[in-house]
Amino acid sequence: MDELALQFFPLPHVLKGTRRDGLAVQWPARCGTCNKECETSKQTGLQLCRYGVNYQRVDHELLIAGVVIRDYRPETDASKAMRRKAGKSSVTLKEFEDTTARCAETTDVLAAEMQQRRDAVIAEYRTSRQYQQDVVGLLRPDLERALGSVHDYKQFVQQILQNMEVLLESRTPGLPIMETLDHAAHEERAIYWAARMMDERLDAALLVLNPGRITTSVQRKRHRLHGLVTKYLKIYQRRIEAKKLHMRKIGESWSEVEANIAALTIIPHALIDNATKYAPEGTDIHLGFSEDDGWIKLRVASYGPVIREDEKNRIFDLFYRGVDASSHFDEGTGFGLGAAQLIAEQLGTKITMSQDGTVGPKGSRWTEFCVSFAIAPVRTSPSGRTTIGKRQ
Amino acid sequence: MTLLLRARRQRSWPKLATEDIVKRARLLVIDDAEFPLIKSFRKDGYNMEKWNDVRDLGSLESDSFDLILLDLQGVGRGHSPDQGFGILKHIRETNPAQIVVAYSNEEWPLEYQPFFHNADAVLPKTKTDYYEFKRTVDSLLAKRFSLDYYVERAASEMHDYAGAAPKAPKKIRAAILDRKSDDLADYLKARIDDAHTVERVIQVVQIAIQMAQVVHTWTN
């Protein structure tokens, strides 16, 4: 209940432990020396104290008390005496009930307004960079503990990848590694791509822990976004085949982006990983590229779990999983999307999500994730001619 | 006539074919873990040695290797608390013409990132396949056996003094081709009031002269 509004409240009351007179009725003199039964009572509803004065608790902050209700029943000797003393200061039961009802109504309205204001502040905080930093700060000790052996993990991954490369390269000398994989046995491919997936996960976790490294110039390179996305699509091949998913590439992009490539690739990977993980068996996944006004837009769309209105912002929180997702799918930690959004923001962009209401198998919804990357700026070739990052 | 030809040959820097460079160059990998790609490199004819740690700091200072592939984590603990970064810095200080490829995972804190600039190339361990490795090594080796590389390296040692000695690049080139650095040293000393800088420029030129002699021996 708002303190300011209660200044105009007609009946005596106790607000947050302080007794205040009402605008029309003051506290009876007897209440000044009583044992404050009304304030300590745990009873709800309209009550009568041993001195014959009525009271009723509205909420944990507000107690209406010091009121003499002349038609309150059952009567006691004390209440009869108090009614005589109060004279015109007493009120009828109906007047009391009307006043408390109005008060409860106002309390509800104010509470709703307060909640709205609180929600707005939280929503604003959620979209701020400070929120991401605070979340990472809170999670840092756990992440650091979990990644205590990250160097060892990276070494294992390196050993697997390089030994596989030596094996494949010696079998088909001169062929690029990606092509040698086409000639490899299923088991070899599975080992190679599992190691690549592990490497991506480790990179994402490391970058979340050290977001400053995302923008460091040491790792800054130019690269075609289309190539970056499609190069490692095979990581998800096993899952795509197992679930009989149809990956459809829509549109194209020849332009380059300039960024920390290791960080940037985590974004499309998180979106593709998400789509392949949640898409129902036999459904489509759209991987779209388009270019417009200096930006490359990447779109990953598929059927996925229902995301409620109040979850739309939260799905990008680290370790948050939507209600539908967590109740239907065991796989997933809620780390991928959060990490991708954090990296996207460091790179000056943002991932957006929308569901258009199209219902798919098992109650799933058509879900689209979009993110745009700035096309690398014009650069001057050694010959003095300017080129933009485009294949002509 | 023979003398004239010999003199002209001496004034030039012989061009080596990539196969010759691969055959002649000495490569060193310093990595505390296994380096499986060494098999592919050796199969392709590279002369590659592997140390699990810094075994002999002296040979890193004395230009014994044409290219060093240095893991930044887990090596050099006995020499520097900064491990590979400390070794990299030491090599840069004692042997300015040495080519070093920093080879590492990416879990280094941000404060270490500037150290990477001491390296001629940075290759992330899990993101580099054999062919990218090979391309990087080949391109750096081609530089290592080229005159321009030494001229650029020596000139870069002058830092802020470059403006005070505008003819230095030309004189560095001449000193390497003539295989004597006296004139260059006199020119620099007259214009640069910093003995250490002059010394480092001359050090690079001396390395280049030795390299020129080696390359001539190979081509004759």
Side-chain angles (χ1 to χ4, degrees):
Chain A
M1 182 80 194
D2 186 57
E3 223 166 301
L4 208 64
L6 274 175
Q7 284 185 342
F8 304 101
F9 192 65
L11 302 176
H13 55 277
V14 182
L15 181 69
K16 294 177 192 169
T18 305
R19 289 188 169 195
R20 295 156 44 126
D21 284 326
L23 202 63
V25 181
Q26 279 79 49
W27 280 89
R30 183 69 191 83
C31 294
T33 55
C34 74
N35 63 356
K36 299 190 176 177
E37 179 191 321
C38 59
E39 291 183 47
T40 54
S41 170
K42 302 283 177 211
Q43 301 288 328
T44 55
L46 184 58
Q47 304 295 324
L48 184 74
C49 79
R50 60 191 296 192
Y51 302 110
V53 183
N54 294 98
Y55 65 91
Q56 182 175 337
R57 180 157 288 283
V58 177
D59 57 33
H60 70 286
E61 287 184 342
L62 179 65
L63 169 77
I64 301 171
V67 183
V68 179
I69 301 174
R70 53 180 176 265
D71 50 350
Y72 179 81
R73 297 294 180 272
E75 285 185 303
T76 62
D77 290 344
S79 70
K80 285 177 195 163
M82 190 53 78
R83 201 170 62 215
R84 278 196 298 276
K85 270 189 208 170
K88 287 182 181 172
S89 297
S90 65
V91 297
T92 64
L93 184 61
K94 181 157 188 339
E95 283 168 342
F96 181 85
E97 282 172 350
D98 288 351
T99 310
T100 48
R102 273 201 305 278
C103 174
E105 219 169 78
T106 317
T107 306
D108 288 346
V109 170
L110 283 167
E113 275 177 20
M114 197 71 91
Q115 189 58 45
Q116 260 180 1
R117 262 185 270 169
R118 203 176 293 147
D119 290 347
V121 170
I122 291 170
E124 194 187 336
Y125 172 54
R126 258 187 205 298
T127 54
S128 71
R129 186 168 282 191
Q130 185 61 42
Y131 174 71
Q132 297 278 17
Q133 285 170 1
D134 291 349
V135 171
V136 172
L138 282 169
L139 293 172
R140 183 177 291 277
D142 289 334
L143 282 171
E144 278 174 349
R145 259 196 301 279
L147 293 171
S149 303
V150 72
H151 179 65
D152 292 341
Y153 302 153
K154 276 281 200 178
Q155 293 280 34
F156 299 151
V157 169
Q158 178 217 345
Q159 297 298 308
I160 296 168
L161 289 173
Q162 291 194 353
N163 276 297
M164 284 303 300
E165 279 177 23
V166 171
L167 195 74
L168 298 171
E169 198 270 333
S170 60
R171 203 179 295 153
T172 44
L175 269 189
I177 294 301
M178 291 299 154
E179 287 178 34
T180 61
L181 279 166
D182 294 339
H183 303 278
H186 168 79
E187 292 79 4
E188 290 168 333
R189 282 201 299 268
I191 292 169
Y192 182 87
W193 289 117
R196 277 264 165 250
M197 188 184 262
M198 175 73 174
D199 193 40
E200 291 292 321
R201 298 282 192 281
L202 287 171
D203 282 348
L206 286 167
L207 289 166
V208 166
L209 266 180
N210 299 288
R213 206 183 302 157
I214 297 166
T215 48
T216 181
S217 60
V218 175
Q219 308 294 348
R220 211 174 159 82
K221 282 181 192 164
R222 293 171 75 105
H223 213 293
R224 268 186 61 218
L225 181 75
H226 188 275
L228 284 177
V229 176
T230 51
K231 185 178 176 186
Y232 292 125
L233 264 184
K234 286 183 179 169
I235 288 180
Y236 307 99
Q237 197 58 39
R238 196 192 59 81
R239 198 189 277 161
I240 290 170
E241 282 168 8
K243 291 177 78 176
K244 299 185 181 72
L245 299 170
H246 312 291
M247 176 76 80
R248 297 182 198 280
K249 290 179 206 149
I250 300 165
E252 56 181 23
S253 156
W254 296 107
S255 295
E256 289 179 331
V257 288
E258 186 172 3
N260 177 337
I261 298 302
L264 189 141
T265 45
I266 287 165
I267 300 170
H269 276 284
L271 303 183
I272 295 165
D273 180 52
N274 209 52
T276 54
K277 198 179 286 168
Y278 293 118
E281 204 172 303
T283 55
D284 283 358
I285 294 176
H286 290 182
L287 182 61
F289 293 91
S290 59
E291 289 186 13
D292 184 30
D293 203 19
W295 292 83
I296 306 171
K297 187 175 177 182
L298 172 71
R299 193 174 66 90
V300 180
S302 62
Y303 284 107
V306 177
I307 297 166
R308 298 185 326 210
E309 199 56 39
D310 60 318
E311 291 181 320
K312 283 188 175 165
N313 281 329
R314 298 206 65 194
I315 57 158
F316 293 110
D317 283 358
L318 281 171
F319 297 116
Y320 179 82
R321 293 189 73 209
V323 174
D324 196 26
S326 13
S327 57
H328 291 96
F329 300 89
D330 291 335
E331 215 183 329
T333 59
F335 180 74
L337 274 184
Q341 185 69 298
L342 192 132
I343 291 166
E345 286 178 3
Q346 288 285 330
L347 293 173
T349 183
K350 203 172 175 97
I351 306 168
T352 58
M353 187 283 304
S354 61
Q355 283 191 327
D356 67 2
T358 309
V359 182
K362 297 178 185 170
S364 58
R365 297 287 189 282
W366 187 248
T367 312
E368 188 171 296
F369 287 89
C370 287
V371 60
S372 296
F373 300 97
I375 293 175
V378 174
R379 63 177 167 190
T380 310
S381 69
S383 64
R385 284 185 302 186
T386 54
T387 55
I388 55 172
K390 282 196 173 195
R391 200 157 89 172
Q392 302 300 317
Chain B
M1 187 66 180
T2 317
L3 278 175
L4 189 67
L5 273 174
R6 193 179 295 164
R8 198 171 283 166
R9 207 160 47 221
Q10 201 166 317
R11 280 280 300 167
S12 66
W13 184 284
K15 223 171 161 55
L16 285 172
T18 309
E19 305 82 69
D20 287 331
I21 293 176
V22 167
K23 204 163 61 186
R24 309 267 186 179
R26 286 192 69 200
L27 278 64
L28 172 68
V29 181
I30 310 178
D31 193 336
D32 61 332
E34 188 197 345
F35 181 66
L37 295 185
I38 201 166
K39 269 189 188 168
S40 298
F41 273 108
R42 284 180 178 160
K43 186 173 67 66
D44 282 343
Y46 291 84
N47 181 7
M48 191 176 262
E49 195 174 321
K50 159 107 179 8
W51 295 354
N52 291 334
D53 201 349
V54 179
R55 204 185 289 164
D56 173 15
L57 196 60
S59 55
L60 303 186
E61 296 165 353
S62 61
D63 213 47
S64 305
F65 297 95
D66 295 301
L67 185 145
I68 299 170
L69 208 60
L70 178 68
D71 180 21
L72 296 175
Q73 194 158 17
V75 301
R77 279 199 182 96
H79 298 88
S80 165
D82 290 327
Q83 303 178 41
F85 282 113
I87 301 299
L88 176 58
K89 201 173 161 204
H90 180 75
I91 294 172
R92 241 337 128 246
E93 278 165 8
T94 55
N95 184 5
Q98 178 66 60
I99 290 180
V100 184
V101 177
Y103 169 61
S104 174
N105 282 320
E106 293 175 50
E107 70 266 31
W108 289 100
L110 208 59
E111 60 264 30
Y112 279 96
Q113 300 294 321
F115 279 83
F116 281 106
H117 293 297
N118 280 327
D120 294 278
V122 179
L123 294 178
K125 275 186 173 183
T126 56
K127 296 280 185 282
T128 317
D129 65 31
Y130 172 62
Y131 293 104
E132 193 178 343
F133 240 117
K134 192 173 170 322
R135 270 196 305 276
T136 308
V137 166
D138 286 348
S139 124
L140 289 171
L141 283 179
K143 272 172 77 175
R144 163 82 174 167
F145 291 96
S146 76
L147 173 61
D148 288 344
Y149 168 70
Y150 294 97
V151 175
E152 272 171 35
R153 263 282 155 94
S156 72
E157 289 297 329
M158 294 197 297
H159 305 288
D160 295 342
Y161 294 107
K167 287 184 184 169
K170 206 174 163 188
K171 286 188 176 289
I172 290 168
R173 185 177 291 272
I176 296 170
L177 290 174
D178 293 340
R179 299 192 194 159
K180 56 190 190 62
S181 55
D182 301 354
D183 289 351
L184 173 68
D186 291 344
Y187 172 79
L188 295 176
K189 279 176 194 164
R191 284 158 184 82
I192 298 174
D193 187 22
D194 178 6
H196 179 66
T197 299
V198 174
E199 199 181 298
R200 283 182 70 82
V201 176
I202 299 299
Q203 190 186 353
V204 177
V205 170
Q206 295 293 353
I207 293 169
I209 290 171
Q210 281 171 25
M211 178 57 77
Q213 283 163 344
V214 170
V215 172
H216 269 291
T217 321
W218 291 349
T219 49
N220 287 329

